[in-house]
Amino acid sequence: MAATTMTLPASGAGSELAYIQETTFGQTPASPSLVAVRCLPPQLDPQAEAFISEQINDLRVAAGLRHAYQGAQLSIPMELSYGAADEFLSGALMKDWASDTPGAGTDALDFGAVKKSYSMELARLDAATAYYLLAKGCVFTGFDLNINADGASAVSLTLNALAASLSASNTTADAGGGYTAAPSNEPMIAADVSSIQIDASDVEIVGLSLSYSDPRSPQRVIGSKNAAGFIADGRRSLTGTISGYATSKADFDRYLNETESALTATLTDPAGNAFALSIPTWKATGYSEGQGQTAIRFEMTFEAYDADGTSPMRITRTAA
């Protein structure tokens, strides 16, 4: 039997993701200069809704099939590092960063209503024949942030998005043929949490996770298989979980008494760049304690809300 040559498949490690903000929804700007994303291997899932003909025939099978709608879902996991996710967080929270807020040298990001869309290109560079998947009309639908002291892991941030259309090519959409480099600051870990407070008092916790959700549904129009936009489909939400050691009844009381609380957390990387979260108004929605003969841990779930017109969360960045 003659020897054959194995055709090399693409790998996640040999892939790259890049983006550019769109000025018109669903259209990649002319001569774009795409910016590389510093992330773990992303997931890009094509989506289609099929029309299946129900015309009768003697075999009692489908008489035909066509795609009536096409789009895509994206999941972009990242090890949080200073500056790497700033534009995506802006797109998710629907607001531009405010410079020198609340003071000189610090920028702030709140909830807003600025509609942003992006073109994203996933490059499969190590395939036998390199190819590029271009998703247009990408709109963020939420993200998950996790800080955990258990194990040697980075602070994780996973962003989720929907895309209006998806195409494949053997050439990049980047006009210069190479992506603009992403920021190269070190990934942050749980040990980089320089301050965490509840109601302005320092606390010791094991983990903090946040989940932001902005439900969207495609805007369908006659004459196209692709969405003309994405419609807000319900209210946005910001929920989270705090975990720690049960050292008193204070956290249980916070849940039982429906105590309105505030939380702040600041991470500072080895170079001195700071990334901070502030959730000014939240209440516990659940509380549980572990069992067994070892140290007892608690988990408290919570949800942030707008009590007086204040953004449910503010993110700030301060360069070293």
Side-chain angles (χ1 to χ4, degrees), residues 235 238-242 251-252 254-259 261 282-288 299-305:
R235 65 179 179 85
L238 178 65
T239 59
T241 301
I242 298 170
D251 293 297
F252 180 75
R254 188 183 305 279
Y255 161 72
L256 195 64
N257 298 330
E258 302 179 47
T259 305
S261 303
W282 58 271
K283 287 185 180 180
T285 56
Y287 181 89
S288 64
E299 279 197 356
M300 180 168 57
T301 57
F302 65 89
E303 182 161 357
Y305 56 93

Side-chain angles (χ1 to χ4, degrees), residues 16-210:
E16 288 188 42
L17 182 69
Y19 76 94
I20 190 169
Q21 185 177 343
E22 297 172 345
T23 53
T24 301
F25 177 84
Q27 296 182 24
T28 305
S31 301
S33 179
L34 303 182
V35 179
V37 180
R38 194 178 183 198
C39 63
L40 305 181
Q43 185 170 350
L44 176 57
D45 294 328
Q47 291 183 311
E49 292 180 10
F51 159 74
I52 301 176
S53 174
E54 296 183 3
Q55 296 181 88
I56 59 175
N57 56 66
D58 58 350
L59 296 179
R60 295 183 292 113
V61 296
L65 185 151
R66 296 182 62 193
H67 287 182
Y69 169 78
Q70 292 179 333
Q73 283 186 327
L74 295 94
S75 178
I76 307 171
M78 308 177 73
E79 296 172 340
L80 183 67
S81 60
Y82 186 83
D86 287 1
E87 181 54 44
F88 286 175
L89 291 171
S90 172
L93 295 183
M94 301 178 67
K95 192 162 187 177
D96 292 322
W97 288 85
S99 300
D100 295 328
T101 303
T106 296
D107 303 331
L109 179 63
D110 298 315
F111 277 49
V114 178
K115 296 180 180 179
K116 290 187 172 187
S117 66
Y118 303 85
S119 290
M120 297 194 194
E121 184 175 80
L122 180 57
R124 301 299 194 190
L125 300 176
D126 61 350
T129 301
Y131 63 95
Y132 303 82
L133 302 175
L134 182 63
K136 299 180 183 179
C138 297
V139 174
F140 287 102
T141 59
F143 60 79
D144 296 292
L145 177 72
N146 185 50
I147 307 170
N148 198 322
D150 289 330
S153 59
V155 176
S156 66
L157 173 67
T158 301
L159 297 116
N160 302 309
L162 292 173
S165 67
L166 182 64
S167 61
S169 174
N170 289 123
T171 57
T172 177
D174 187 86
Y179 302 146
T180 300
S184 57
N185 295 299
E186 285 194 60
M188 295 178 176
I189 61 175
D192 291 328
V193 176
S194 53
S195 171
I196 186 162
Q197 295 186 326
I198 295 179
D199 296 335
S201 296
D202 292 335
V203 293
E204 292 182 350
I205 63 173
V206 175
L208 171 65
S209 63
L210 298 176

Side-chain angles (χ1 to χ4, degrees), residues 300-315:
M300 180 168 57
T301 57
F302 65 89
E303 182 161 357
Y305 56 93
D306 170 13
D308 56 3
T310 302
S311 175
M313 177 174 64
R314 166 170 282 189
I315 302 173

